[in-house]
Every structure is written in structure tokens, then in C-alpha cells.
Amino acid sequence: MSNISYKLKMDPIGKIKLRRCLESNGRAQKFFTHEVRRLADPYVPFRKGPLKNTAREDVSSITYIQPYAKRQWLGNKGNGKRGKKWIPRMWADRGKEIIKSVADYAGGHPK
């Protein structure tokens, strides 16, 4: 009886992540953050626009910088889609769409 042995050669994990834009704070993370902000815009409370229009987008965070942002996040009664806790509400409506778009961007498949 003989044994069969095969050695599989793979690129290092860092190289694979880089090829898929999945490096730490990389392009896929930036794309994800931008998609969240873009799709959350219709959910942000809006009277004249400063709350949504002055939000700052970093690689892995979105900061609503207006002094009244926390009050709106916690207590806005809403008008249609617009109201409090806009990102979790948007995620409930469109999270699967974001997951698919990020997977497409990185060359993968959503689960």
C-alpha cells in the first residue's frame, strides 16, 4: 500500500487580503462605510440639511458633528423614513444589499 502526499501552495494571507481589498482599514472597509452613509442619508432627520450634509466619513466610522446630533439620534419622532437611530433602521431595510455590494466589490460572495 502506498501513500499519496500533495503539498498545497497558497499565497500568504496578507497578500490574499490585499488582492481582495480586505486589508485592515483598507478599500473594502472604506467602500462599506461610504455605502452605509450613502444609503442612510434618506433616514437622517432633515429640516435644512446640516445634520446629514456635514457628517464626516472616516475609513471605519461616520460622525454626525452638529451639536444637536445626539438629541436627534435619541429622540427625533420622525417624518416618513427620517427619524431617530437612522443607521440601524436603514440596516434593517437595506443591510443585505450593502453586504452584497461589498462582496461584489471585494470579489467574493455574500453568505
Side-chain angles (χ1 to χ4, degrees):
M1 185 171 187
S2 63
N3 292 330
I4 297 174
S5 177
Y6 182 81
K7 188 170 184 173
L8 179 64
K9 291 184 181 181
M10 287 182 56
D11 287 337
I13 189 72
K15 190 173 182 179
I16 294 169
K17 285 182 174 183
L18 187 61
R19 188 170 50 240
R20 294 288 187 155
C21 308
L22 296 172
E23 66 276 12
S24 181
N25 290 321
R27 292 173 287 162
Q29 176 65 54
K30 187 174 182 177
F31 179 81
F32 170 78
T33 303
H34 181 73
E35 285 294 280
V36 169
R37 180 177 177 196
R38 182 178 71 81
L39 294 176
D41 261 8
Y43 293 77
V44 178
F46 185 92
R47 184 177 295 163
K48 293 183 180 178
L51 180 62
K52 80 175 198 72
N53 294 334
T54 61
R56 291 192 182 145
E57 188 177 310
D58 293 317
V59 172
S60 62
S61 67
I62 303 163
T63 305
Y64 293 87
I65 62 169
Q66 294 301 316
Y68 56 87
K70 184 175 181 179
R71 185 174 65 241
Q72 293 296 319
W73 178 262
L74 296 174
N76 187 289
K77 292 189 179 20
N79 181 9
K81 277 188 193 180
R82 298 188 182 277
K84 66 182 177 181
K85 298 185 180 176
W86 48 90
I87 292 176
R89 289 186 305 100
M90 176 281 297
W91 187 262
D93 292 346
R94 303 192 72 182
K96 288 180 182 179
E97 179 182 339
I98 294 172
I99 290 169
K100 182 180 179 335
S101 69
V102 173
D104 289 345
Y105 180 84
H109 304 282
K111 283 192 170 195

